[in-house]
Amino acid sequence: MPGCRWSSGGGGGGGNSSNAGLIAQLEREVIESEVVRDTMLAVDRRFYTTHAPYVDSPQGIGFAVTISAPHMHAYALEVLRSHLRPGCHALDVGSGSGYLTACMAKMVGPTGRVTGIDHIPDLVAKATDNISRGNPELLRDGSLTLVVGDGRRGYPPHAPYDAIHVGAAAETTPSDLLHQLKPGGRLFVPVGPQSGGGSSQYITQYDKDADGNVRSQRLKAVIYVPLTDAKTQWPAAASR
């Protein structure tokens, strides 16, 4: 994969006019496998963002958050691919628009389960509506569940997980999420400072072995929004 410094909200741009055109672009740049290609073809971004869905850049979805650039979604799915096989259980922290949650659910299939968690109730409602329009089968077959909660603490009722994806930057290793990872599971999370100062955030991959030992590996330098609480992110929504 490319060795550049990536932002969660900025890639190479590109003026694609269709989801198929976008995925063809990503195949040249990021996508390495048929399963990720077919998954992203099956989850059309136009149902998950109303503005420029096929441009490889972030788009605002309200509540001070964005849907990440498509290249970041493709990259995350490739890193987690071996842990999103049919029948696996996964957690998407900061599920936002519901797009990546839907992609993960397509990969684990009806015998698996993906839980998307977000601390803004209106975002969870919006994601539910997006999925209902774009990929309603995921809600019907039970492979996808959306909940309101503090994703920094994971979601114990559905734990343990084969794969956990986090869509915002944690300042330090998220121990609660590691605790909810299955032996053999993988956590994908940006880790690093939540403000400037010259230090970098890195996509960090944590793998738990059969004995519960955890190994970490920095993958890419990135720029992500902070993993924070609802009140800090959007006070009005958090107070409802």
Side-chain angles (χ1 to χ4, degrees):
M1 291 183 183
C4 57
R5 179 182 172 93
W6 281 353
S7 165
S8 63
N16 297 294
S17 60
S18 68
N19 195 52
L22 170 63
I23 305 313
Q25 174 190 335
L26 295 176
E27 278 194 280
R28 296 189 293 270
E29 299 171 353
V30 186
I31 293 175
E32 298 178 342
S33 64
E34 289 185 5
V35 66
V36 169
R37 178 201 64 197
D38 292 347
T39 294
M40 295 186 75
L41 283 170
V43 183
D44 195 320
R45 282 175 68 92
R46 72 184 175 91
F47 295 107
Y48 296 86
T49 178
T50 57
H51 178 68
Y54 306 131
V55 174
D56 190 12
S57 65
Q59 305 299 333
I61 57 173
F63 308 101
V65 295
T66 63
I67 178 173
S68 293
H71 71 273
M72 288 307 303
H73 284 152
Y75 181 68
L77 292 172
E78 287 288 359
V79 171
L80 292 171
R81 170 167 42 105
S82 61
H83 297 74
L84 292 172
R85 299 180 187 276
C88 286
H89 287 194
L91 177 68
D92 184 21
V93 175
S95 48
S97 70
Y99 175 82
L100 191 66
T101 321
C103 288
M104 294 167 71
K106 292 294 285 188
M107 291 175 72
V108 305
T111 61
R113 178 169 63 190
V114 174
T115 303
I117 185 168
D118 203 289
H119 52 205
I120 305 295
D122 285 355
L123 264 180
V124 173
K126 187 173 186 177
T128 302
D129 182 62
N130 292 343
I131 295 166
S132 295
R133 291 183 297 110
N135 300 93
E137 72 282 359
L138 301 176
L139 297 172
R140 289 195 302 265
D141 66 22
S143 59
L144 187 154
T145 303
L146 295 170
V147 298
V148 177
D150 186 347
R152 297 173 300 175
R153 307 290 177 251
Y155 191 66
H158 290 175
Y161 301 100
D162 299 283
I164 300 176
H165 169 269
V166 183
E171 285 196 283
T172 59
T173 298
S175 57
D176 286 341
L177 299 181
L178 286 177
H179 181 70
Q180 293 173 39
L181 202 62
K182 283 184 184 179
R186 176 169 292 175
L187 166 64
F188 175 107
V189 55
V191 178
Q194 301 187 353
S195 59
S199 298
S200 294
Q201 299 171 353
Y202 289 89
I203 296 293
T204 306
Q205 173 184 307
Y206 295 88
D207 291 299
K208 182 183 285 189
D209 69 20
D211 297 319
N213 302 307
V214 176
R215 176 174 54 88
S216 66
Q217 178 184 1
R218 284 181 170 182
L219 302 181
K220 297 289 181 186
V222 291
I223 303 170
Y224 268 72
V225 298
L227 184 65
T228 186
D229 58 71
K231 184 177 180 181
T232 300
Q233 178 183 322
W234 195 257
S239 64
R240 292 181 185 177

